[in-house]
Amino acid sequence: MSLASLAKPDLFARLAAGHAARVTVVTPNRRLAQELGREFDELQASRGLAVWEAPDILPFAGFVERLYVEALYCDRVPELPMLLSAAQERELWEAAIRASEHGAALLAVPQAAADCRRAWELAHAWRIAGALSSFPGNEDARAFAAWARDYARRCDRAGGTDAARLPDIVAPLLEHAALRKPDVLVAYAFDVATPQEQGFLGACAARGIEVRSCGPQAAESAPKRMVFQSARHELEAAAQWARARLEEGARRVGVVVPDLHGRRKEVARVFARVMDPAHNLPGRAARAAPFNLSLGAPLAHYPLVHAALSILELALREVPFERGSRLVRSPFVGGAEIEMAARARLDVALRRRAPAFLALGRLVALVEDCPLLRARLEALFALAREAAGGERSPHDWARRFSALLEAAGFPSRSLDSVEFQARAKLNEALAELAGLERVAPRMSAARALARLEHLCSDTLFQPETPGAPVQVLGVLESAGLTFDALWVSGLSDEAWPLAARPNPFIPQALQKKAGIPEASADTALARGRRITEGWLRAAPEVVVSHPAREDDRELRVSPLVAGVAAVAPPAPSGPRCRDLIFRARRVEAVADGQAPPLARAQVRAGVRVLSDQAACPFRAFAHHRLAAAALEAPLPGPDARVRGNLLHALMKQLWDELEGSERLAQDCEPAIERAAAAAVSEERLEEPFAALERARLAKIAREWLEVERGRDPFSVVATEAPRMLRAGGLEFTGRIDRMDRLASGGHALIDYKTGWTSRRDWLGERPEEPQLPLYAVNAAEDIAAIAFAKLKTGELRFSGYAREKGLLPGVDLYRDWDGLVAGWRRELDALGAGFAAGNARVDPKRGLQTCRGCDLQPLCRVHERIAALGDEEDGE
């Protein structure tokens, strides 16, 4: 329908007359309603007014729902169906899908239900719902038509209706005089009104309401276009530009980022760094940021809500260790502030003792030295046992979930503004869960928790903050808004205009026939052109930009802005905060590569001190003098360390019984079985891992004995034998995996390895595998060979050096054996003396290759000597 237009100044003049003018403004979305109200308030304040009546501005859907609620409680209006909440709608869609022939084959029914709900809204908005069953379509469309019929029946049985059909229900009620209707209804900034919206506005006009249209005032501008090296450089420049405009006095600055959903964290990080450089400095008082992102994050991602969901999950079932660990350290569990340090120490201990999946009862048993935490967990356990089992109403589950959170002491402390709002939103989610009782009378605990988790994941939450002068927006949120200055980024030909995305559940031909903008390339292009024209008139200063490259692909400008005059990008507006801090430094020279000398010669850590010193002196200092190490994380089943210990225990047990090559000609199977069983018993593995490891060890033992049968006669003289070792004035306690006496004379030192190793690691300066060379130079016996015994399935073999050929299969002759041993003694003494003297310099032997496998990267200063630890910059 064609509406008479109303100029924006005239609209504000009517709104200024107050409620007596009976003017209502409806907008396409909530953000536009808020911004229009803010603009009106600023105008009233600029006139010197201290008080004025709030304008009646709300989204179209909110206006329809307000009329519905008024009619619902009006005696003179016929009985109306109850309006279903979004959660109730999704529950009915899921029920319809699960009851269908396709339901069993779908892997993600909740996602399918969400997609069906969007398709249902689209079909009613464009008046094509009646054609869904009759219009030919693919299998998805036919399935949706069947689901939609079942969904509608379920709504009728529940005595309800949904938001998609509400305008059609409310429109006939406008004839009732008892409904309070505005005298003037203004549709503001509707780019394309759907047939349903047009029909409702027509019904308003037919009932005597003056219906007008209005839009933003076009600004005179000379747009500029810029091209940047990458999307990261483009975003950085947009943030610096926005800051510069604020400093010049602009009160309203907009930055449009088309892929704001996918880049939200990056955008927030860049704008915080540019607009508020000191935002994360310790001791800084909290204050509102000068920018606002239009897109919220899922409610479940907020720490307080994540902690609440973790508490409920732990109360009902096992959780992965990392989730339990975060809960132990959470500030939202009762007593956290008092026991903060003790709980951190408890977390470290749990990483060594806890299983990969934690049940609440097991966690209670493992908690030590944290009495407040244990008391909270015990209360939670007692209440969880009472609540578990059977099916209950969603209302009952919502009440019990609240009780479980209370038992855990949630939220434990006074909340800041964001946390307080997140807690209120969580309460709303619990209320929505309770409201499911109307459409799902009974459900299990697991299903109730899953519903709550879906509610929190599907709810985009943006905490309310004071108005920010810089608005970072997505494409659709920016339509209809005006600014003092506007930057629209990402306008490459691939990103803009938005590609056509017809709904997969509605026949595409039906969508094209209805004129849905997303249905075809033509309508998508037309919509993109309208939005682009709106951007170019939205502010006195408009900048459009796009990146020149994405990874290894070249990008071209969108044809919709190709005609805008191109200008060179501005130079960076100023140094970063960190650069200013660095320039203002007061330098004090500290020889941080030199630690105090070691006070005692005995080293508890064993030979690993030398291997760390060889890899990097700082690694040895941090590991063995600062006791710094990465936190462990329990794994499902035996980890690499346990599996290595099992193989060492297997070989010790086996060779303690076989004693040498003479027994290899006999049946070794009983000895293998006994050795495998003893090794597993020694590590105290639980079933079923114990059975799996016994089988694995026995298989490796059989294959390895075949390798041993290819040797000349030998006898095993030591297994896991402790030795006192010396190097560079240090004393170590070592343990030789195995020593054999050879028939040709001399002894062979053997070290069991399950991972990748190379005998070249024994050669040259700073040998990286010093264990066997250290044993060799300290041995009282005559050492004729040293070798790795590689116990990896498919690669079982010896690898090493010997002073004579043929001493061990696969072990090569080293012609200058005495020189090799002398070199080992010299290098090992140098490593030991360096560690004893306090050498702690950052000097990775193989550069970044050494650093990539190191657990000290958060502590190390290697980035001061080498550009980066990764392969590329992170953009910081």
Side-chain angles (χ1 to χ4, degrees):
M1 63 177 291
S2 178
L3 300 178
S5 62
L6 182 68
K8 192 171 181 179
D10 294 337
L11 170 62
F12 279 2
R14 294 195 182 195
L15 292 175
H19 292 170
R22 295 174 63 85
V23 177
T24 295
V25 182
V26 293
T27 62
N29 55 61
R30 186 174 300 278
R31 171 168 285 273
L32 190 52
Q34 292 172 341
E35 293 303 317
L36 188 62
R38 178 203 56 78
E39 191 175 346
F40 174 78
D41 291 342
E42 288 183 353
L43 177 63
Q44 294 294 82
S46 68
R47 293 172 175 169
L49 298 177
V51 178
W52 57 88
E53 292 186 35
D56 190 21
I57 304 173
L58 69 170
F60 176 82
F63 176 64
V64 173
E65 187 170 342
R66 186 173 73 183
L67 290 172
Y68 163 80
V69 172
E70 188 171 338
L72 191 65
Y73 294 101
C74 181
D75 294 337
R76 284 172 281 179
V77 175
E79 185 176 351
L80 294 174
M82 295 298 294
L83 179 62
L84 299 174
S85 68
Q88 290 170 337
E89 291 179 36
R90 285 193 294 269
E91 185 71 23
L92 291 179
W93 276 113
E94 285 195 36
I97 293 171
R98 294 184 193 279
S100 70
E101 58 179 334
H102 303 280
L106 286 175
L107 298 178
V109 172
Q111 182 59 51
D115 293 340
C116 285
R117 183 169 176 262
R118 285 190 288 270
W120 181 257
E121 291 173 346
L122 191 68
H124 282 83
W126 290 88
R127 302 291 198 199
I128 56 177
L132 292 176
S133 298
S134 58
F135 209 90
N138 58 19
E139 185 179 0
D140 288 342
R142 291 193 297 272
F144 173 68
W147 294 337
R149 289 192 298 270
D150 189 14
Y151 166 77
R153 288 193 294 267
R154 291 174 184 270
C155 285
D156 292 341
R157 287 198 297 268
T161 189
D162 48 45
R165 293 177 285 180
L166 196 60
D168 300 327
I169 292 174
V170 172
L173 305 178
L174 294 170
E175 63 183 15
H176 291 275
L179 254 62
R180 289 178 298 174
K181 301 178 285 291
D183 292 339
V184 180
L185 181 64
V186 181
Y188 183 85
F190 277 79
D191 173 40
V192 174
T194 66
Q196 188 182 54
E197 291 168 340
Q198 293 178 18
F200 188 86
L201 295 176
C204 290
R207 299 299 183 266
I209 301 174
E210 181 186 354
V211 181
R212 307 287 290 272
S213 68
C214 185
Q217 291 180 284
E220 293 293 333
S221 67
K224 298 176 290 187
R225 177 167 58 87
M226 300 178 187
V227 183
F228 292 87
Q229 177 183 345
S230 67
R232 181 169 62 84
H233 290 90
E234 179 187 28
L235 185 62
E236 186 85 25
Q240 292 180 350
W241 171 89
R243 174 169 180 159
R245 295 303 167 272
L246 284 186
E247 292 172 347
E248 292 171 2
R251 302 176 62 186
R252 179 75 176 160
V253 179
V255 177
V256 177
V257 181
D259 186 23
L260 183 57
H261 178 77
R263 301 178 67 190
R264 188 182 190 279
K265 291 183 179 180
E266 178 191 5
V267 171
R269 184 172 64 247
V270 169
F271 272 78
R273 187 176 63 211
V274 173
M275 308 292 294
D276 190 15
H279 72 284
N280 58 355
L281 292 182
R284 177 182 178 272
R287 67 179 183 186
F291 68 93
N292 174 265
L293 271 62
S294 67
L295 183 68
L299 179 62
H301 290 183
Y302 284 81
L304 179 139
V305 179
H306 184 275
L309 295 176
S310 297
I311 290 170
L312 297 177
E313 185 179 6
L314 179 63
L316 298 180
R317 58 175 179 255
E318 288 185 338
V319 299
F321 174 81
E322 282 303 323
R323 189 150 191 170
S325 167
R326 290 185 65 177
L327 200 55
V328 166
R329 294 176 283 115
S330 172
F332 303 112
V333 177
E337 291 182 322
I338 299 173
E339 293 182 340
M340 186 189 330
R343 293 186 188 185
R345 291 190 294 270
L346 171 65
D347 179 60
V348 175
L350 289 177
R351 291 172 178 274
R352 302 190 189 102
R353 298 156 45 201
F357 288 86
L358 272 175
L360 178 56
R362 182 73 176 271
L363 179 58
V364 171
L366 291 172
V367 171
E368 297 176 353
D369 301 324
C370 294
L372 297 179
L373 175 63
R374 187 181 180 95
R376 289 297 183 181
L377 292 178
E378 288 175 344
L380 183 65
F381 182 72
L383 197 60
R385 291 183 62 183
E386 178 186 339
E391 292 191 344
R392 291 183 169 86
S393 70
H395 181 275
D396 193 16
W397 282 122
R399 183 177 59 80
R400 288 174 182 271
F401 287 167
S402 297
L404 288 171
L405 293 176
E406 185 178 350
F410 178 87
S412 172
R413 60 177 174 81
S414 299
L415 305 179
D416 62 25
S417 176
V418 172
E419 292 168 346
F420 183 83
Q421 293 179 63
R423 172 68 189 277
K425 204 69 178 177
L426 174 62
N427 289 341
E428 290 180 18
L430 286 166
E432 284 196 64
L433 174 65
L436 291 179
E437 184 171 4
R438 185 175 170 193
V439 294
R442 309 283 290 179
M443 60 177 58
S444 65
R447 186 179 169 193
L449 180 58
R451 289 293 178 272
L452 181 61
E453 290 173 338
H454 285 147
L455 283 170
C456 294
S457 297
D458 294 342
T459 301
L460 292 181
F461 173 58
Q462 182 80 303
E464 293 184 9
T465 56
V470 176
Q471 296 290 316
V472 184
L473 309 149
V475 168
L476 299 181
E477 294 92 346
S478 65
L481 299 179
T482 57
F483 305 91
D484 296 332
L486 174 65
W487 181 307
V488 185
S489 65
L491 298 183
S492 67
D493 60 342
E494 293 184 4
W496 188 253
L498 297 176
R501 290 184 176 86
N503 192 288
F505 285 131
I506 302 176
Q508 187 172 356
L510 181 59
Q511 297 181 61
K512 289 182 178 179
K513 184 178 179 180
I516 298 175
E518 297 88 355
S520 68
D522 292 341
T523 52
L525 176 61
R527 182 182 64 171
R529 184 174 286 114
R530 291 192 302 271
I531 293 176
T532 302
E533 291 172 356
W535 284 334
L536 299 181
R537 299 194 305 266
E541 180 184 2
V542 178
V543 177
V544 296
S545 65
H546 75 93
R549 300 186 65 83
E550 181 180 5
D551 298 329
D552 58 347
R553 296 185 299 110
E554 291 188 5
L555 302 177
R556 294 177 295 179
V557 63
S558 167
L560 297 184
V561 294
V564 177
V567 298
S573 59
R576 296 179 179 181
C577 181
R578 67 184 186 189
D579 297 330
L580 294 175
I581 293 173
F582 187 72
R583 291 174 189 171
R585 69 193 186 280
R586 289 180 295 176
V587 178
E588 178 182 357
V590 177
D592 60 354
Q594 181 61 48
L598 198 63
R600 49 188 296 175
Q602 291 80 15
V603 179
R604 294 182 179 179
V607 182
R608 189 185 167 200
V609 169
L610 296 185
S611 60
D612 283 346
Q613 188 76 13
C616 177
F618 177 73
R619 181 187 295 185
F621 172 74
H623 277 161
H624 306 296
R625 297 190 65 180
L626 300 182
L631 291 174
E632 301 177 36
L635 298 175
D639 58 17
R641 179 185 61 81
V642 171
R643 290 163 72 90
N645 291 343
L646 286 169
L647 279 171
H648 280 76
L650 168 76
M651 289 299 165
K652 172 177 171 51
Q653 297 288 340
L654 187 61
W655 288 111
D656 282 350
E657 182 170 346
L658 297 180
E659 296 182 342
S661 55
E662 290 185 6
R663 290 277 305 276
L664 295 180
Q666 305 173 12
D667 181 12
C668 297
E669 190 62 27
I672 291 173
E673 295 294 339
R674 286 191 292 271
V680 170
S681 176
E682 188 174 313
E683 282 294 324
R684 300 180 181 178
L685 290 186
E686 298 178 353
E687 299 294 348
F689 299 113
L692 293 173
E693 286 301 313
R694 280 193 295 269
R696 182 182 73 91
L697 294 175
K699 181 176 182 293
I700 291 176
R702 295 185 196 101
E703 295 177 1
W704 181 249
L705 291 186
E706 290 301 318
V707 175
E708 298 277 11
R709 288 187 178 101
R711 293 177 53 185
D712 291 338
F714 64 92
S715 60
V716 177
V717 296
T719 58
E720 301 292 333
R723 292 288 178 98
M724 182 60 69
L725 309 170
R726 293 174 176 81
L730 297 181
E731 295 181 356
F732 309 88
T733 299
R735 191 176 294 275
I736 297 174
D737 288 354
R738 177 174 153 197
M739 182 186 293
D740 291 358
R741 182 182 296 112
L742 307 175
S744 59
H747 295 77
L749 290 173
I750 298 172
D751 188 25
Y752 301 123
K753 293 292 183 183
T754 57
W756 186 90
T757 53
S758 172
R759 61 187 182 181
R760 290 191 295 272
D761 292 340
W762 295 329
L763 306 179
E765 296 182 356
R766 294 164 62 178
E768 297 174 51
E769 287 285 350
Q771 186 171 2
L772 282 179
L774 184 63
Y775 292 154
V777 300
N778 278 272
E781 298 84 356
D782 176 25
I783 303 302
I786 67 171
F788 291 131
K790 296 193 173 183
L791 301 178
K792 186 176 181 180
T793 301
E795 301 179 19
L796 281 79
R797 60 188 177 89
F798 286 107
S799 175
Y801 295 113
R803 70 184 179 194
E804 298 177 20
K805 190 174 182 178
L807 293 183
L808 289 171
V811 174
D812 294 337
L813 166 68
Y814 198 94
R815 296 188 181 280
D816 185 11
W817 180 257
D818 292 338
L820 177 64
V821 175
W824 286 340
R825 189 182 303 279
R826 183 173 58 254
E827 290 299 326
L828 295 172
D829 282 344
L831 291 175
F835 181 79
N839 179 6
R841 69 187 188 280
V842 177
D843 185 19
K845 180 178 178 180
R846 301 184 186 275
L848 295 182
Q849 183 179 347
T850 300
C851 297
R852 287 192 181 100
C854 182
D855 63 338
L856 297 171
Q857 289 184 14
L859 180 66
C860 184
R861 309 174 308 282
V862 68
H863 61 278
E864 297 174 8
R865 301 186 63 247
I866 304 176
L869 288 175
D871 294 324
E872 58 185 33
E873 295 183 6
D874 64 356
E876 287 295 293

